[in-house]
């Protein structure tokens, strides 16, 4: 997340350039040299190239999914050792709206102790979309 300000700035630069191109393409009477002149007058090519490099570094070729998944797994590895103790020691409660999440949390120690999991052993309805993609559709899961 340290790279978020760089990514934000680069994204704005790329969006500005894309908007110029979109506007020009929408105006079929504008000749290509005019489009090029407008781009050069409003955006420095070196800045645009730097923005493309930043997005490539931060997001990567996979659209950022690999980096996000890697970070999720890293955080999971950190929390994994603490969850069983936390689930056993802390007296958590929930309203009816959070009961499903609380039940899934209390089931985590058993889930984490198993070597292989089946999809029906995971409370998929409480997973975020990111975790659902990471868990996947296979018959078994490797914890």
């Amino acid at each position: 997340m340290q790279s978020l300000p760089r990514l934000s700035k680069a994204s704005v630069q790329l969006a500005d350039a894309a908007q110029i191109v979109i506007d020009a393409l929408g105006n079929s009477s504008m000749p290509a040299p005019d489009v090029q002149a407008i781009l050069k007058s409003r955006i420095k090519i070196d800045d645009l190239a730097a923005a493309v490099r930043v997005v490539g570094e931060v997001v990567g070729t996979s659209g950022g999914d690999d980096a996000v998944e890697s970070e999720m797994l890293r955080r999971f590895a950190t929390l994994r050792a603490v969850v069983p103790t936390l689930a056993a020691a802390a007296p958590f409660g929930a309203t009816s709206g959070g009961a499903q999440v609380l039940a899934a949390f209390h089931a985590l120690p058993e889930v984490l102790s198993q070597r292989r999991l089946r999809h029906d052993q995971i409370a998929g309805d409480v997973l975020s979309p990111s975790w659902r993609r990471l868990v996947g559709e296979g018959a078994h899961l490797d914890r």
Side-chain angles (χ1 to χ4, degrees):
M1 291 299 132
Q2 299 164 343
S3 57
L4 192 58
R6 288 178 51 224
L7 179 61
S8 180
K9 181 180 176 186
S11 297
V12 168
Q13 289 173 319
L14 291 172
D16 288 346
Q19 189 62 55
I20 292 168
V21 171
I22 289 167
D23 292 344
L25 291 174
N27 182 355
S28 59
S29 64
M30 186 181 292
D34 289 352
V35 174
Q36 187 176 10
I38 291 170
L39 277 169
K40 284 183 177 181
S41 72
R42 296 194 28 209
I43 298 172
K44 295 177 185 169
I45 191 69
D46 292 341
D47 292 345
L48 194 57
V52 169
R53 280 193 301 278
V54 167
V55 170
E57 283 174 26
V58 176
V59 178
T61 57
S62 68
D65 291 342
D66 292 344
V68 170
E69 289 176 5
S70 177
E71 180 65 13
M72 288 171 64
L73 290 173
R74 185 189 69 74
R75 289 181 181 184
F76 175 72
T78 302
L79 290 173
R80 186 169 183 222
V82 178
V83 167
T85 305
L86 186 62
F92 289 103
T95 64
S96 60
Q100 203 172 8
V101 173
L102 186 61
F105 176 73
H106 284 298
L108 275 177
E110 182 180 336
V111 168
L112 294 175
S113 70
Q114 297 179 32
R115 186 77 178 141
R116 303 272 300 186
L117 296 171
R118 294 183 321 272
H119 277 277
D120 63 346
Q121 292 173 291
I122 296 176
D125 46 344
V126 299
L127 293 177
S128 69
S130 301
W131 277 105
R132 277 192 210 111
R133 278 192 305 278
L134 191 58
V135 168
E137 300 288 329
H140 287 88
L141 303 168
D142 186 355
R143 63 173 180 95

